[in-house]
Each structure stands twice: as C-alpha cells, then as structure tokens.
Amino acid sequence: MRTVEHRPLRRGTHSVDVCGLVQRYHVRGGAGPVCVVLPGGPGLSWEYMRMPALEQSMTVVYVEPIGTGESGRLPTHPYGYDRAFYARALDRLLEHLGQERVYLLGHGHGGRVAQFFALRNPDRLSGLILHGSSPVGGAELEEETRHQFERFIRRNQSNPGLPAVIEAARTMPTIADDRLLTAAVRRVFPALVAHYWNRREELSPLRSRLRLSYLSVRRADGTADPVDDRQSLRSLEVPTLVIAGSYDVVGGMRWGRELQSLIPNARLLVLAWSGHLGHVEEPERFAEGVSGFVTATRPMALLHGGMLAA
C-alpha cells in the first residue's frame, strides 16, 4: 500500500518556463490540498482573485496567465491565447509544481479554460470548481450577457452613477490598449457585483486595483477558437462544483444551472447576494462551499491517486 506523495509548495511568487516564456504564479496559504486558480477576462490580472478565507484551509496557487502582468507575452500577441495554449501552459505548471493531482478553480474565461483542461486531463485533477463560467462562448454568451446587463440597468435606473457604467460597457469591445482597458473595466465594475453602490466603501479598493490586458482568444494565426462544451461536458469524469451568483451579468444563473445539468453529479452553489465576484462579495460562504466540496471529494481523490493501490 502506498500513499500519494505531494511536494510541499513554498509561499511567495515564483516562475516556470512555458514554451520559452516566463509564467509567474503566486502561492498563498500553505495548509491543506492544493488549489490552482485561473483568473478570468481573458486578461484580468490575478490579484482580484485573492481568497484569504480559502487560503486558511488550502494551499492556493494563483496563476498569472501568460499575456498578463509580469508573465511573458507570445510573439503573436495579442493573438494566440486560445484555450489549447492556456491548457498547455497549465499542464507545464502542474508538472513543475510536482503535484500528482490538484483542485482546479477557474473564474469566468478561466472557468472555460479549466473545463477544457479537465475534459482532456481528468487524471490530473482531484476536483474542478467552475466559478461564473459557462459551457459556451461567442455570440450566445454575449447575447445572454447583454440580457443580464439590461436587468442591471433596470435595477439601477435611478442611480446617478449608471450612465458612466453604460458608456464604459459600450466602448470596451472597441479598445485594444491595456491602459484604456484597465480604465474601462474599473468604470464598468459596478455591473460586476450585486450591490456596488451600497458597498462602495468596501469594494472601491478592489475596483481601483483591477488591471486588464488586451488579449485575443483567437488562435495565433488569427482564426476563431469556438467554445461550445455542451456535448463534451456530459462525459466529464472529474468531481465538479459549479458556483453561480444570482446577480452575475457574465456567468449567471442560466449558465450555472446548465453546467450542473450537463456535468454528471455536479454540485451547484448559488450565491444569492453576489454578482460575478462571489469570492469577494460572499467570501465566507464561498470558502465554506469550496471547502465542503474538497472534504467530500478528497477520499475519492486519494483512492484514484493510489492510496489503496498495491
């Protein structure tokens, strides 16, 4: 009988070579199983994903995706940041970390990368956590986001801050400059959370720290990379927790329920008072939900990893 051996991870900021590029990652926490976190966007800097409550029970590895922050950029930048590329980068990172299996948490676009990776590498994961993700991208996702954004407008139609949010959302798709995109995402921030103007003092610091780089999810040759995982997710073998905020204009309840229905035995955690950033808006409930999922699935992970193997 053998146990699963994991190399302890050292806290701090580190890097690994991925296809000749520097891939930075940040280790926080230090106790419990390893959870690798993929931020959204694409192009959002990793810092907004900090989850101190979860770091109390897990070793959390925050990925600074290639193309953002201090990580390297592809020669084909801004193209080439498709899911297949990010899955290769993740595979290299997991090899570097020396972990037989990890929990993988993806937020928004990072969730679509995470599910792409899980479908192709189920043996690398103890569990999958899809936070504000969706089974599709492209026009269908954009249409649902427009619908939810209209609901946000109706809820806040008398707020004097609303016109600035609407204008920022209108112009963002036309911007290809990192500095201007960062300014725009900060202006649109109130739409990303459930009740920004009631929690302005609490949430403003995070808003001022958001950074967004201009990346294209098209392949390196400029061709489209369609996203529709509906059929594939029906055969996903990885234990999965889906997290959806009731006020999320990007991920949303439609996609949360659909992911739960598609993925065998998936759990759905609904954050009733959250938008797209439930890990910030309801941090304790978020962390409790993830920790409960890890506790329930960890014996299964140990079995698959060889705990009971001869």
Side-chain angles (χ1 to χ4, degrees):
M1 181 180 295
R2 65 182 177 87
T3 58
V4 180
E5 296 294 335
H6 293 307
R7 190 176 76 189
L9 301 183
R10 183 165 51 91
R11 294 184 62 177
T13 297
H14 311 282
S15 63
V16 58
D17 181 278
V18 174
C19 304
L21 298 171
V22 173
Q23 164 78 80
R24 297 220 319 174
Y25 65 94
H26 310 265
V27 180
R28 300 290 187 269
V34 173
C35 180
V36 175
V37 177
L38 303 178
L44 279 171
S45 188
W46 72 278
E47 293 94 342
Y48 84 98
M49 279 304 302
R50 282 296 303 273
M51 297 172 285
L54 189 61
E55 292 168 16
Q56 295 179 22
S57 61
M58 302 189 77
T59 300
V60 185
V61 179
Y62 298 97
V63 177
E64 188 167 344
I66 290 176
T68 69
E70 299 302 317
S71 288
R73 292 190 168 191
L74 289 170
T76 54
H77 184 87
Y79 298 112
Y81 300 98
D82 56 292
R83 294 197 297 170
F85 170 75
Y86 276 136
R88 290 196 300 273
L90 176 60
D91 186 67
R92 175 69 185 97
L93 174 62
L94 296 188
E95 178 185 353
H96 168 76
L97 292 176
Q99 304 299 303
E100 203 166 327
R101 286 173 177 261
V102 302
Y103 287 88
L104 180 61
L105 188 159
H107 177 240
H109 173 264
R112 291 184 287 279
V113 173
Q115 62 207 35
F116 179 94
F117 182 87
L119 285 164
R120 290 155 180 80
N121 304 275
D123 58 320
R124 305 295 297 276
L125 304 181
S126 298
L128 175 66
I129 303 156
L130 300 176
H131 173 22
S133 186
S134 63
V136 298
E140 192 170 354
L141 176 60
E142 291 170 6
E143 178 58 32
E144 177 65 14
T145 299
R146 279 193 293 269
H147 172 65
Q148 295 302 328
F149 188 71
E150 289 167 1
R151 294 184 62 191
F152 163 79
I153 292 173
R154 290 194 294 271
R155 288 195 303 270
N156 296 279
Q157 56 188 342
S158 62
N159 193 295
L162 181 62
V165 179
I166 295 174
E167 177 62 16
R170 184 186 68 81
T171 59
M172 275 190 72
T174 69
I175 301 174
D177 175 84
D178 291 359
R179 182 180 59 83
L180 295 178
L181 265 179
T182 292
V185 77
R186 290 174 182 176
R187 289 197 299 272
V188 85
F189 182 82
L192 299 180
V193 295
H195 304 291
Y196 174 76
W197 287 290
N198 291 337
R199 303 175 64 178
R200 186 196 303 263
E201 184 175 348
E202 173 192 356
L203 295 174
S204 287
L206 174 61
R207 182 184 189 181
S208 66
R209 292 195 302 269
L210 280 183
R211 292 184 294 153
L212 182 61
S213 300
Y214 176 64
L215 304 180
S216 171
V217 293
R218 289 181 173 269
R219 301 185 182 101
D221 62 4
T223 58
D225 180 35
V227 176
D228 189 341
D229 296 332
R230 288 183 172 116
Q231 191 59 41
S232 300
L233 287 171
R234 299 182 188 278
S235 62
L236 183 61
E237 300 174 353
V238 179
T240 302
L241 173 66
V242 178
I243 304 175
S246 294
Y247 294 87
D248 189 351
V249 302
V250 182
M253 291 303 302
R254 171 187 169 181
W255 303 128
R257 293 192 182 101
E258 188 165 338
L259 285 167
Q260 183 196 26
S261 70
L262 290 170
I263 301 171
N265 303 312
R267 304 179 179 198
L268 175 62
L269 172 63
V270 175
L271 299 178
W273 305 106
S274 292
H276 195 50
L277 303 177
H279 61 288
V280 174
E281 298 170 83
E282 297 181 69
E284 290 80 14
R285 178 162 168 72
F286 183 96
E288 288 170 2
V290 173
S291 296
F293 169 71
V294 170
T295 298
T297 55
R298 207 172 177 200
M300 187 184 306
L302 290 172
L303 175 62
H304 290 320
M307 182 72 172
L308 300 182

